[in-house]
Amino acid sequence: MLAWLLIAGVNGVAQKALAQEYTTTGTTQAQESINLNSPLLSPEEPMAQVTSVSQLKDVQPNDWAFQALQSLVERYGCIAGYPDSSYRGNRALTRYEFAAGVNACLDRVNELITTATNDLVTREDLAILQKLQSEFATELAILRGRIDSLEARTGEIEAYQFSTTTKLSGLLIVGIQGRTNNRGDVNPRDGQKDTDDGGTNIDVISLAQLYLTSQITPSSYLFTGLLDGNGTSGPRFTNSVSRNDVLLGYEFPTDNLIVSDLNFHWLVTDKLAVMIGTEGVSMPAAFRGPNRVESAATGPLSYFAQRNPILNMGYGHGGIAIDWQFAKRASLQAIYTSYQPGNPGKGSGLFDGTTTTGVQLLLTPSDTLDVSLYYVNNYSSDGCLLTFVGDECLTTVNTTTGKSAPLQTNAVGATVTWQISPQITAGAWGGYTKSYIPGRSGNVETTNYMVFLNFPDLFAQGNLGGIYVGQPPKITSSDLPVGNNVPDFVNTGLGRAGGQPGTTTQIEAFYRFQLTNNISITPGIIHILEPGHTPDSDSVTIGILRSTFSF
């Protein structure tokens, strides 16, 4: 009788716990079966105390638990009903509700004992309770163990359950730009301005990106990106030397929608993260950028001004990367990536094609100073480093085979940024590469540098100004076997040893108007001296108006 008494009493006193459970867990099942706005589940409307079982409209004298309920009401006074005078005896019981009901009845029993109400609580009842406890001790222990096991398994499932939550984000960039008309000294480079560059055309470039971030566990997610780009900043010289001088950060013509990112991120520990995937596993994505305004959408306009070109080397698609925060102000990033990981055995795969291994040490000695040091090892199957800036193809195309020799490259570089004040940040980077044809003598070396000033919140909160001056990658010396050296090949077609005759200098200035949190407009200008590292080519000036919408 007492066992039924306790169980039956529970259903009437734990309505607050029920409402709290459904409103805080937010599970799909609860949302489908329970109206969270129902007044019956509102914790602000407690259940009324019942003084007679007849007050419960859904309890009939022929119900199997009627006697137990009547005893609880009339003898112990520890039954409560819902505000609509219902008892809902057929609803499932949770452990929380059971605990709340037992607690309410035990409180009432203790009160009766304290006030010595012997006619309501007798010694016989207490003896029966003790006897029941002793008699069912084994069953209660087994039940307790099963409940604890079930609770542990439930906790594990909650911790590792798949989340159906996928967040959508994206951006749209539309840029209008035009170039000045100029003359250039191109193949064969002989010191004469003999080639006209179309110039003056007004071009429209657009880039649209959508990102899907799907939470797998609290410490991991799947990142998918879709990209569609149209337009270029041409016309430009078509020779192999100066073709990349005017590339903009958002200039990525695809002709159709492509998958730009498909990678999995996992926070292994609080200090170690891993990224693995078939698309978008590259150094710009895996390495933290010390230039805190690095962005083709809202930062500098040109591709060269985004970061040191060494960090674009190999243009990785698929691979693995790690990020280790081994100290409070120091972290280490490392990556192995392939340009075309899906074509093994054809000179283009995860291990036998154009591959890149890189490591970066990022230090923050103070809140205003960032320093990064990096080393990159790259194997290029056609001699092009895929940085798309300055001198990136470092071996010539053989006129007989139509192919260029492969290169093994070692590169080092460093980037420093210093926040002079909240409104001024200064920075610089430098890079050096040394490459050789595997199994053959000679090397080809390049250098690049950039110095810059950023002006956060210039004239208004959220706006940004910037001035960037630098030299894109330049072949300073090349003594590969005769016929493979790019500078002399452009000059004479013989490909003998030697470096570039001139030095390209890029000057860029921009100002970003942050109209809203999601919309910005950035006018800017880029001026290029000696394009293609050719002293006898006219300078190029590009005017740009970039607009960005993000969500």
Side-chain angles (χ1 to χ4, degrees), residues 339-362:
Y339 178 61
Q340 290 183 316
N343 295 314
K346 299 181 180 180
S348 178
L350 187 59
F351 300 107
D352 62 347
T354 297
T355 58
T356 303
T357 303
V359 61
Q360 174 180 259
L361 175 64
L362 182 60

Side-chain angles (χ1 to χ4, degrees), residues 45-364:
E45 296 186 26
M47 294 169 291
Q49 183 66 41
V50 176
T51 58
S52 173
V53 73
S54 61
Q55 293 178 250
L56 301 173
K57 64 182 182 181
D58 58 347
V59 177
Q60 304 300 323
N62 59 347
D63 287 337
W64 65 272
F66 181 85
Q67 294 297 329
L69 292 174
Q70 187 177 40
S71 177
L72 283 171
V73 173
E74 299 174 0
R75 189 174 184 186
Y76 295 98
C78 57
I79 278 290
Y82 285 83
D84 62 346
S85 299
S86 65
Y87 183 68
R88 306 180 193 179
N90 293 324
R91 193 179 57 79
L93 181 71
T94 69
R95 295 185 68 197
Y96 289 111
E97 295 166 350
F98 183 84
V102 170
N103 183 67
C105 281
L106 289 179
D107 285 344
R108 177 59 178 161
V109 169
N110 289 332
E111 179 184 349
L112 294 174
I113 293 174
T114 302
T115 56
T117 316
N118 295 326
D119 58 329
L120 293 178
V121 180
T122 66
R123 292 184 179 274
E124 288 77 9
D125 291 333
L126 296 178
I128 292 173
L129 182 60
Q130 290 176 344
K131 183 178 180 180
L132 287 171
Q133 185 177 5
S134 299
E135 184 176 350
F136 292 97
T138 302
E139 288 78 2
L140 290 174
I142 294 174
L143 181 60
R144 186 181 303 110
R146 290 178 178 177
I147 292 174
D148 290 343
S149 176
L150 182 60
E151 191 174 53
R153 291 177 59 189
T154 302
E156 183 178 357
I157 292 172
E158 290 177 350
Y160 294 98
Q161 66 179 335
F162 181 85
S163 172
T164 58
T165 301
T166 296
K167 294 183 179 179
L168 174 66
S169 60
L171 61 88
L172 173 65
I173 305 172
V174 178
I176 302 175
Q177 52 279 319
R179 304 175 61 227
T180 59
N181 193 9
N182 68 319
R183 299 176 60 203
D185 179 16
V186 296
N187 314 47
R189 192 164 48 187
D190 56 6
Q192 301 296 321
K193 299 179 181 178
D194 52 9
T195 302
D196 288 333
D197 177 11
T200 66
N201 283 3
I202 303 298
D203 303 298
V204 177
I205 296 176
S206 65
L207 182 72
Q209 289 182 280
L210 290 177
Y211 302 113
L212 301 171
T213 304
S214 301
Q215 198 77 29
I216 306 300
T217 72
S219 59
S220 66
Y221 64 91
L222 178 67
F223 185 70
T224 306
L226 302 174
L227 182 149
D228 182 45
N230 293 280
T232 67
S233 58
R236 61 167 69 91
F237 292 138
T238 58
N239 69 90
S240 61
V241 177
S242 59
R243 61 177 181 164
N244 295 323
D245 281 334
V246 201
L247 197 67
L248 299 176
Y250 49 92
E251 185 174 347
F252 193 78
T254 62
D255 298 326
N256 50 47
L257 187 67
I258 66 170
V259 177
S260 60
D261 296 271
L262 184 60
N263 43 71
F264 177 73
H265 297 246
W266 178 30
L267 186 63
V268 183
T269 70
D270 291 340
K271 305 295 184 181
L272 179 65
V274 175
M275 174 172 66
I276 186 170
T278 59
E279 286 290 345
V281 183
S282 62
M283 286 184 284
F287 289 4
R288 306 186 206 178
N291 183 6
R292 302 183 184 184
V293 302
E294 175 183 313
S295 170
T298 58
L301 294 165
S302 70
Y303 192 59
F304 175 39
Q306 297 298 316
R307 66 191 68 85
N308 193 322
I310 287 175
L311 299 177
N312 293 326
M313 191 180 298
Y315 198 74
H317 288 266
I320 185 171
I322 64 169
D323 189 344
W324 178 31
Q325 186 78 38
F326 64 88
K328 181 179 180 180
R329 292 185 176 271
S331 65
L332 187 71
Q333 293 87 47
I335 188 172
Y336 177 84
T337 183
S338 171
Y339 178 61
Q340 290 183 316
N343 295 314
K346 299 181 180 180
S348 178
L350 187 59
F351 300 107
D352 62 347
T354 297
T355 58
T356 303
T357 303
V359 61
Q360 174 180 259
L361 175 64
L362 182 60
L363 306 172
T364 308

Side-chain angles (χ1 to χ4, degrees), residues 329-466:
R329 292 185 176 271
S331 65
L332 187 71
Q333 293 87 47
I335 188 172
Y336 177 84
T337 183
S338 171
Y339 178 61
Q340 290 183 316
N343 295 314
K346 299 181 180 180
S348 178
L350 187 59
F351 300 107
D352 62 347
T354 297
T355 58
T356 303
T357 303
V359 61
Q360 174 180 259
L361 175 64
L362 182 60
L363 306 172
T364 308
S366 67
D367 292 341
T368 59
L369 184 65
D370 291 318
V371 180
S372 66
L373 308 170
Y374 31 89
Y375 164 77
V376 178
N377 181 276
N378 170 264
Y379 175 79
S380 171
S381 58
D382 62 358
C384 291
L385 304 183
L386 299 179
T387 60
F388 305 105
V389 173
D391 289 342
E392 58 140 0
C393 291
L394 307 182
T395 58
T396 62
V397 177
N398 188 298
T399 56
T400 303
T401 64
K403 298 180 179 180
S404 52
L407 282 180
Q408 189 75 48
T409 300
N410 291 287
V412 293
T415 303
V416 178
T417 60
W418 175 35
Q419 187 180 19
I420 302 173
S421 72
Q423 286 75 40
I424 302 176
T425 299
W429 73 62
Y432 167 80
T433 71
K434 186 174 184 178
S435 310
Y436 63 92
I437 301 174
R440 305 188 68 180
S441 62
N443 298 281
V444 53
E445 302 176 19
T446 74
T447 61
N448 81 87
Y449 75 87
M450 177 73 79
V451 294
F452 57 88
L453 290 172
N454 291 318
F455 304 95
D457 300 327
L458 183 63
F459 303 132
Q461 185 75 25
N463 293 353
L464 174 69

